Amino acid sequence: MSDGRVVLVGAGPGDPELITLRGLRWLRRAEVVVYDHLAAAELLDEAPAGTLQIFAGKSAGRHCLEQSAINAVLIHHAQAGRLVVRLKGGDPFVFGRGCEEIVACARAGVPVEVVPGVSAAIAVPAAAGIPVTHRGVASSFAVVTGHEDPAKRESAVEWERLATAVDTLVILMGVGAPPRIAARLQSAGRSADTPAAVIHRGTTDAQETVRGTLGDIAARAARLRAPAVIVIGEVVALRSLLTHPLLDAVTLDRR
């Protein structure tokens, strides 16, 4: 008898080996997999032969399926008695609209389980040799989106408050936004000399890290495209210590 449910699985930050064991177990039982463009393609091979695979990827300005259509697909297949795995890059609750999908399923009476994922907000900086906290350097960090709902009249992110409120800023979906963000942070008191980095396709073989300062990182990383994670704070300067040759075996930096 089929499960007739939706399992929201965090696929991790890019490296297919960073999915959780629980997420992998559900994926190997799936009858339908609805996946996004940040989930590693290799993970689809873990689903049983004959599993229906539906691409529901989104990127800036390009939506394969609108969110309402994704919700409808999940509900339709679950109500037909199928085990649906919704495979989302990173963690589904970190700017992943996972909560919206859970609410839609709950309202339709569809059972839902959530399998948390390894968030790119922490894993990608770590893979580049950048800890988001470090004793004596950074005791706090904030994760912020660089891409908000275009329907909003104004940004809900209070960059001026964040500028000096936390030690480390991690910005997801911020490609194209560094000039604007850097200007607002500097105008609010964050030094232009603050170390900064942009990490492209973190945790994968295509990982590339560009370092600079808050004042020049926008120009230095202008050629990088999504997906990328931006890190601003003194912890970025620790990268030179954590990419020592003796640490190559743990692949802190794949570049």
Side-chain angles (χ1 to χ4, degrees):
M1 181 176 179
S2 291
D3 289 87
R5 68 177 60 200
V6 171
V7 183
L8 192 62
V9 175
D15 183 339
E17 292 186 347
L18 292 178
I19 190 172
T20 65
L21 288 174
R22 188 176 186 85
L24 195 57
R25 281 200 294 267
W26 278 117
L27 185 56
R28 288 172 174 168
R29 293 176 55 193
E31 295 171 279
V32 180
V33 178
V34 183
Y35 64 101
D36 69 20
H37 75 293
L38 292 177
E42 296 93 326
L43 288 175
L44 297 177
D45 295 333
E46 298 291 341
T51 298
L52 177 62
Q53 298 180 358
I54 301 172
F55 178 63
K58 298 177 185 175
S59 57
R62 292 178 294 177
H63 289 187
C64 178
L65 290 177
E66 294 296 330
Q67 188 61 54
S68 58
I70 294 172
N71 296 347
V73 166
L74 299 176
I75 293 167
H76 167 75
H77 286 288
Q79 289 182 334
R82 303 182 184 103
L83 172 55
V84 183
V85 168
R86 174 66 166 116
L87 194 64
K88 300 173 75 69
D91 180 274
F93 281 179
V94 180
F95 305 128
R97 303 187 74 170
C99 186
E100 295 176 44
E101 295 172 2
I102 289 234
V103 169
C105 289
R107 287 175 174 168
V110 170
V112 183
E113 178 169 334
V114 179
V115 180
V118 177
S119 174
I122 299 172
V124 167
I130 301 171
V132 294
T133 65
H134 182 68
R135 188 172 62 172
V137 176
S139 299
S140 61
F141 70 96
V143 180
V144 190
T145 178
H147 177 75
E148 297 185 78
D149 186 343
K152 290 182 179 178
R153 290 190 174 184
E154 57 185 36
S155 174
V157 178
E158 298 187 50
W159 295 104
E160 288 71 21
R161 289 192 177 187
L162 284 172
T164 56
V166 293
D167 297 313
T168 306
L169 280 173
V170 179
I171 302 167
L172 305 183
M173 301 180 291
V175 170
R180 170 178 55 82
I181 293 171
R184 291 185 64 176
L185 291 174
Q186 289 177 75
S187 68
R190 194 83 176 214
S191 171
D193 294 328
T194 303
V198 178
I199 308 151
H200 172 67
R201 293 198 173 276
T203 77
T204 74
D205 291 333
Q207 177 172 306
E208 182 175 1
T209 304
V210 173
R211 283 197 303 167
T213 65
L214 183 58
D216 66 14
I217 192 62
R220 286 176 177 267
R223 63 182 175 80
L224 297 185
R225 296 292 178 264
V229 173
I230 303 167
V231 186
I232 299 168
E234 297 301 326
V235 290
V236 174
L238 295 172
R239 182 174 185 266
S240 59
L241 299 176
L242 297 181
T243 51
H244 187 280
L246 290 178
L247 295 177
D248 283 350
V250 293
T251 60
L252 280 171
D253 188 356
R254 290 172 173 264
R255 193 174 115 179

